[in-house]
Amino acid sequence: MFAERRRLPRGLDAVVLVCTAACVLSIPFLLGFTEAENVASWIGLPIFLGIVPLLLAAMHSRVSVADGRLTLALVPLWRKHLPLDDLVEVRQRTIRARDMGGLGLRRTLDGATALVLRGTSAVEVVTRQGKRYVVGTGRPEELAEALGARAGRSAR
């Protein structure tokens, strides 16, 4: 079994939280300047200045190996379950966020799906269908071992 939850780097996380607080606190002020007849403003402002920043502030990644599957998630936006029997290759690799196209959930130039929020360590898995996933983790040895042991293969 393996489970890990990761947030953005502390500095970036702090910036997101400050921006979220500023957006949420500005809603009543900005609504005071909108016309009462403009329903779109009354609905749109709270959504774009309240809900969206709160979702960004709550964003984190979860990676787990349990119940015969690898679960990858960018909470609260995306989740993927990969049966361990479908994994044909598991290997550790070193990454840089800029090589992945940035932090978050990304499609890399070589076609892999990358879930990276911080660090330089990752595990790459390849499925029987040929899909590749690069998973940023602070514990690559443990994840590779859990995937190799659970899937009945040795971690590479």
Side-chain angles (χ1 to χ4, degrees):
M1 169 115 165
F2 177 88
E4 182 179 54
R5 180 179 185 255
R6 294 181 68 115
R7 292 192 56 84
L8 293 168
R10 286 185 186 169
L12 188 55
D13 205 25
V15 169
V16 168
L17 289 172
V18 168
C19 290
T20 299
C23 287
V24 171
L25 293 173
S26 70
I27 292 172
F29 178 74
L30 292 173
L31 284 176
F33 287 109
T34 62
E35 297 176 14
E37 303 87 36
N38 191 348
V39 176
S41 295
W42 283 91
I43 294 171
L45 276 174
I47 289 173
F48 291 111
L49 292 179
I51 295 172
V52 172
L54 287 172
L55 287 175
L56 289 174
M59 187 176 66
H60 63 278
S61 69
R62 283 192 189 153
V63 178
S64 65
V65 178
D67 300 328
R69 66 183 178 183
L70 167 65
T71 301
L72 307 174
L74 183 62
V75 178
L77 306 171
W78 178 82
R79 182 176 316 255
K80 182 75 174 177
H81 301 287
L82 302 171
L84 294 181
D85 292 337
D86 285 351
L87 303 183
V88 295
E89 184 178 350
V90 176
R91 69 181 183 96
Q92 295 179 45
R93 64 182 273 189
T94 302
I95 59 168
R96 293 189 314 194
R98 75 173 174 210
D99 295 338
M100 299 287 114
L103 298 174
L105 181 65
R106 302 285 186 206
R107 176 72 70 185
T108 63
L109 293 175
D110 60 357
T113 299
L115 178 60
V116 179
L117 288 188
R118 62 180 357 178
T120 58
S121 301
V123 172
E124 182 176 352
V125 297
V126 180
T127 66
R128 285 186 185 160
Q129 295 80 19
K131 294 184 180 180
R132 294 181 23 249
Y133 296 88
V134 177
V135 184
T137 176
R139 304 181 341 232
E141 297 86 11
E142 290 178 47
L143 178 56
E145 183 179 316
L147 290 172
R150 296 285 187 148
R153 298 175 220 15
S154 61
R156 299 177 197 177

